[in-house]
Amino acid sequence: MAMLLSSSGQFDGIDLDRVIRMCLIHDLGEAFTGDIPTFEKSGKDEETEYRELTGWIGTFPETLKKEFEELFAEMQERRTPEARLFKALDKLEAVIQHNESDISSWLPLEYDLQFTYGKEEAGHFPYLKQLRDRIDLWTKEKIKNAQNDL
């Protein structure tokens, strides 16, 4: 998604190469813990993921270690436009992926979550807010079609 945005002209002044790097590494911790849904992930899961990931990064050559540590810190703090854009894309991708799944696999809490997850983050960027609005229309249609099939 970040690569597609680079040709949109909507994100001037944002280092999209940095955003792409964030997108590439953001789920590395899940290589150690597995992919745990956000609403099921506990503090203990996050601690394990952080410990395992930082231990692994600690084995990198110094320059690469420094780059990864800086990127992860920036992603956690979300103070830069790049980190905020990364997080918005991360959440929007999850919503899109969820819409792509069969609605029979949705848990009851996911119906509301589908309309709220990532909305705030996308709201920082007009282009992503428009995308989020279209995703909401898609979600409404998906739910409506499922109800009609009953």
Side-chain angles (χ1 to χ4, degrees):
M1 288 175 70
M3 286 178 67
L4 293 171
L5 295 179
S6 64
S7 65
S8 72
Q10 299 293 315
F11 298 93
D12 293 338
I14 295 179
D15 183 348
L16 288 172
D17 286 339
R18 190 162 184 83
V19 174
I20 290 167
R21 293 173 93 72
M22 290 177 185
C23 291
L24 287 171
I25 69 167
H26 83 281
D27 278 339
L28 279 176
E30 293 179 1
F32 302 103
T33 61
D35 187 6
I36 303 167
T38 299
F39 51 86
E40 292 180 6
K41 190 176 268 190
S42 70
K44 185 177 179 185
D45 294 326
E46 290 176 1
E47 288 172 21
T48 300
E49 186 175 304
Y50 178 79
R51 184 181 63 252
E52 295 290 330
L53 179 63
T54 55
W56 180 61
I57 291 172
T59 67
F60 290 6
E62 195 57 40
T63 55
L64 194 55
K65 174 183 164 185
K66 185 176 188 254
E67 178 183 4
F68 273 67
E69 289 172 344
E70 288 174 359
L71 280 171
F72 277 113
E74 184 177 345
M75 291 159 60
Q76 284 292 100
E77 294 169 1
R78 290 190 211 124
R79 291 186 186 151
T80 65
E82 289 80 7
R84 287 191 297 274
L85 179 57
F86 144 73
K87 193 57 169 177
L89 292 175
D90 181 38
K91 289 191 171 196
L92 287 178
E93 185 277 333
V95 173
I96 290 168
Q97 187 178 72
H98 197 252
N99 260 357
E100 287 289 335
S101 68
D102 191 296
I103 201 163
S104 67
S105 68
W106 289 21
L107 301 173
L109 69 87
E110 292 175 306
Y111 284 81
D112 289 333
L113 192 59
Q114 192 67 1
F115 290 106
T116 58
Y117 194 70
K119 189 166 272 266
E120 180 181 342
E121 291 82 0
H124 296 291
F125 304 96
Y127 191 79
L128 296 186
K129 184 182 179 319
Q130 290 177 348
L131 175 60
R132 180 69 179 134
D133 291 343
R134 286 183 179 242
I135 295 168
D136 284 350
L137 291 173
W138 176 21
T139 302
K140 287 176 187 173
E141 189 67 24
K142 183 176 186 82
I143 292 169
K144 180 182 166 190
N145 288 340
Q147 290 169 339
N148 288 340
D149 289 346
L150 293 178

